[in-house]
Amino acid sequence: MPDLLDRLGQYALVRQFERTAGDEVQGLSDAPAVVVDLVCAVVATQAWWIGIGVGAVDQPIADSVRASRGPALIAARAAVERSSSTAVGLAVEGEGTRHAETALHALARVITDRTEGGAEAVAAMATGRTQKEVAHQLGVSPQALSRRLQVARWSEEQRLRDLATYLLGQIAS
């Protein structure tokens, strides 16, 4: 749990993640791109169920996510309960979330299907360096890195991230 909270603590949120019950944590975001980044980070661990609730939060927002109320938090509870019965351990609840959930499922599948070498290559590319720099860092040729990224479906991940962000943003609008 502390490792997960440390990992999630690096994201700018409306309310930071905190332990809410047992092995459950909850945070609050109003930025679809951040939600997608969080999903990718947690999915990569392959160790947690993910439930995303979309909707309003009662105003003013409480100082703690545990004290916050509203349809988004009720939807999040339903989503986390349903997530254990999905193929990728992820569910999204709230009005109009079906397509966003589908995009996030596809994204999760791309991430979890990677080999260790593919995951390493994608993580190295996420640092913003060039493929040539990353290839040198990993001790492989640029061609070998390009092949690893292709097999890891790195470009598909980027497109699915954009799609999921767009769809979540459309729901929130």
Side-chain angles (χ1 to χ4, degrees):
M1 180 72 63
D3 290 342
L4 178 63
L5 288 171
D6 285 346
R7 179 180 289 215
L8 300 177
Q10 67 182 323
Y11 295 92
L13 301 172
V14 173
R15 294 293 176 268
Q16 286 298 316
F17 278 87
E18 57 186 287
R19 187 179 217 156
T20 53
D23 64 350
E24 183 176 305
V25 300
Q26 194 171 42
L28 185 59
S29 176
D30 61 359
V34 171
V35 172
V36 172
D37 288 345
L38 286 162
V39 166
C40 292
V42 175
V43 161
T45 71
Q46 297 188 38
W48 300 95
W49 304 118
I50 303 168
I52 300 167
V54 177
V57 177
D58 292 351
Q59 300 294 322
I61 298 172
D63 292 338
S64 163
V65 72
R66 282 184 299 210
S68 296
R69 301 285 178 260
L73 295 141
I74 294 167
R77 165 82 341 249
V80 83
E81 288 175 4
R82 189 168 60 83
S83 68
S84 65
S85 65
T86 68
V88 295
L90 180 147
V92 184
E93 290 284 340
E95 191 173 327
T97 59
R98 181 172 179 246
H99 297 304
E101 181 178 88
T102 300
L104 289 168
H105 274 230
L107 179 57
R109 183 62 74 191
V110 164
I111 291 168
T112 59
D113 284 351
R114 289 189 175 132
T115 64
E116 189 175 319
E120 177 185 45
V122 169
M125 288 302 298
T127 63
R129 290 176 286 178
T130 66
Q131 285 192 24
K132 185 176 179 179
E133 292 167 334
V134 168
H136 183 265
Q137 173 200 339
L138 297 178
V140 299
S141 70
Q143 296 82 1
L145 175 63
S146 179
R147 180 70 184 139
R148 272 193 203 178
L149 292 171
Q150 183 179 34
V151 171
R153 299 183 353 213
W154 181 54
S155 62
E156 286 87 344
E157 176 186 335
Q158 303 313 305
R159 288 198 281 300
L160 286 167
R161 280 175 174 263
D162 289 345
L163 177 61
T165 299
Y166 171 79
L167 292 169
L168 287 170
Q170 290 299 300
I171 298 165
S173 304

